[in-house]
Amino acid sequence: MINIKNELKKRVLVLDGAMGTMIQNHHLNEEDFRSTRFANWPVNVKGNNDLLSITQPAIIQEIHDEYLAAGADIIETNTFNATSISLADYQMEDLVYEINFASAQLARKAADKFSLLNPEKPRFVAGVLGPTNKTTSLSPDVNDPGYRAVYFDELKNAYFQQAKALFDGKVDVLLVETIFDTLNAKAALFALEELFEKEEKKLPVMVSGTITDASGRTLSGQTLEAFLNSVSHIELLSIGLNCALGAEQLRPYIKELSEKSPFYVSVHPNAGLPNQFGEYDESPEKMGTHIHDFLNHDFANIVGGCCGTTPDHIREMAKIAEKANIRKIPAHETATRLSGLEPLKISKEVNFVNIGERTNVSG
């Protein structure tokens, strides 16, 4: 079996583009989402893209094939919202295992087909664990800051259930992506560690966070370096950034990550910023210039696309990646690196660090 770690030592890998954008191009209606099996489902299911792995598998298979034909090395499973927490919106919590397993198998079939066509360019499947529609760090009720819509253990159990199905479906990598709340990500990573221990087998893990705006912070308030410190207790295949911003806006952050990350670095931005209609219209050529810049400066090991990207965007990236230099993981000194909203590095140059209570009324 080809090891993705070995491939990353040899070349820049290309991740696929947006699944949702491609699904929207099919203009599916409520009946298409339901198919015959869910014809009498009590609530509307249109918009539950993950369900299409069961009700419209041919469409999902076609999308995977299009991205692979465009040159993608890694394709993502159609499971961005396939946890019990997110599927509760459609009263489909009981379908978590079935949806994730079916999605993994569709992607596995497509990747294996293209790997056989060109064994020199093996293809890989990333099992996607999305951020869910709830946050463990913030209260959705401004009048009750201590309230939480979901708690850590609930989230960890939901991620474990999803990851188990993806694992059984034979994915190559598990990708915790579009992280806006680091505590959610830590629940996912804890679930993965628990799964690997139970199965007595580890899969490579990719992590991809989301910088929400020009502040350079995640939605839960962390700076990029603090986020990196927060998840570096896990032996990651890669850490990266995706969504929220276009490639141009992500440049300073991906540069910083490439300098500080002890792992491989990934980036899959949106096709620019959304226009007044909420659509993404940055062309493959324009986006390609930014990706070329990233690779020319050795910022990333894995490139791909998020919202608004299509096989044409991935085709452009694949052409650029084929000729790109490989980013070498920089040497890092051993130091204690901690994180709150800001990072704290304790090294030989730091004379004294006072650790104590700072939560009393007098500060």
Side-chain angles (χ1 to χ4, degrees):
M1 182 177 177
I2 302 293
N3 189 315
I4 192 169
K5 293 180 182 178
N6 292 336
E7 288 300 303
L8 280 165
K9 291 175 184 175
K10 297 187 289 187
R11 60 193 177 99
V12 172
L13 297 186
V14 179
L15 191 66
D16 63 5
M19 174 63 74
T21 298
M22 297 297 287
I23 288 172
Q24 287 174 3
N25 291 340
H26 284 268
H27 305 290
L28 303 177
N29 57 31
E30 178 70 22
E31 288 69 32
D32 295 322
F33 274 84
R34 288 172 177 259
S35 193
T36 53
R37 177 174 168 184
F38 300 99
N40 298 314
W41 201 254
V43 297
N44 288 342
V45 298
K46 184 179 177 182
N48 185 1
N49 289 344
D50 307 314
L51 180 65
L52 297 173
S53 294
I54 296 175
T55 58
Q56 300 290 344
I59 290 176
I60 304 304
Q61 187 85 61
E62 178 189 329
I63 292 169
H64 286 321
D65 286 351
E66 286 187 63
Y67 279 124
L68 289 163
D73 299 292
I74 308 168
I75 54 170
E76 301 169 75
T77 56
N78 179 39
T79 54
F80 188 77
N81 287 305
T83 57
S84 56
I85 290 168
S86 295
L87 288 174
D89 288 350
Y90 304 98
Q91 299 178 21
M92 289 184 163
E93 301 97 309
D94 293 340
L95 294 173
V96 168
Y97 188 92
E98 183 180 356
I99 288 174
N100 282 279
F101 184 82
S103 297
Q105 288 284 281
L106 287 170
R108 178 80 272 154
K109 181 181 176 183
D112 288 349
K113 178 173 71 175
F114 277 80
S115 292
L116 281 173
L117 289 172
N118 184 4
E120 298 299 311
K121 185 179 168 68
R123 312 301 178 98
F124 303 95
V125 176
V128 168
L129 295 87
T132 80
N133 54 5
K134 292 182 168 61
T135 168
T136 44
S137 290
L138 305 169
S139 172
D141 184 354
V142 294
N143 298 311
D144 187 1
Y147 172 73
R148 294 293 181 269
V150 67
Y151 291 95
F152 185 91
D153 285 345
E154 294 175 77
L155 198 56
K156 186 267 291 183
N157 292 336
Y159 276 128
F160 183 93
Q161 184 184 21
Q162 180 182 29
K164 173 69 168 108
L166 294 169
F167 186 97
D168 291 348
K170 308 297 183 188
V171 301
D172 300 297
V173 185
L174 287 162
L175 168 59
V176 183
E177 71 156 308
T178 320
I179 298 163
F180 58 81
D181 182 346
T182 309
L183 194 56
N184 283 29
K186 289 169 86 75
L189 294 171
F190 189 58
L192 297 186
E193 290 292 293
E194 198 174 84
L195 175 67
F196 298 156
E197 186 176 340
K198 182 178 179 182
E199 297 292 335
E200 298 183 344
K201 179 185 176 182
K202 280 193 170 187
L203 293 181
V205 176
M206 298 171 64
V207 160
S208 185
T210 295
I211 299 296
T212 52
D213 54 35
S215 70
R217 295 177 182 264
T218 63
L219 187 65
S220 55
Q222 280 193 311
T223 65
L224 183 57
E225 187 175 356
F227 169 67
L228 172 64
N229 290 353
S230 291
V231 296
S232 291
H233 61 292
I234 301 291
E235 183 185 344
L236 300 176
L237 175 70
S238 68
I239 186 165
L241 296 172
N242 76 289
C243 206
L245 303 175
E248 184 176 6
Q249 294 76 29
L250 272 182
R251 190 187 194 279
Y253 309 117
I254 204 68
K255 178 180 184 293
E256 179 186 356
L257 195 59
S258 73
E259 293 167 351
K260 295 176 179 177
S261 169
F263 314 110
Y264 292 117
V265 168
S266 71
V267 58
H268 54 295
N270 293 340
L273 295 174
N275 60 29
Q276 63 268 35
F277 304 108
E279 298 171 344
Y280 300 87
D281 46 22
E282 187 167 86
S283 70
E285 294 74 24
K286 179 71 182 296
M287 195 171 182
T289 61
H290 299 305
I291 297 299
H292 182 271
D293 174 50
F294 291 173
L295 296 180
N296 199 41
H297 287 88
D298 300 335
F299 288 168
N301 305 90
I302 302 169
V303 296
C306 202
C307 302
T309 56
T310 65
D312 288 338
H313 291 82
I314 300 308
R315 188 173 291 106
E316 187 69 22
M317 290 184 204
K319 286 191 292 186
I320 296 164
E322 197 172 2
K323 302 172 184 176
N325 295 325
I326 302 167
R327 170 187 171 270
K328 304 292 184 185
I329 296 175
H332 282 82
E333 62 174 333
T334 301
T336 299
R337 292 179 171 88
L338 307 175
S339 61
L341 296 183
E342 310 280 342
L344 172 64
K345 177 183 173 184
I346 302 175
S347 64
K348 294 176 182 177
E349 292 73 35
V350 178
N351 293 325
F352 179 75
V353 177
N354 185 23
I355 302 172
E357 182 186 355
R358 295 288 293 177
T359 56
N360 56 60
V361 292
S362 61

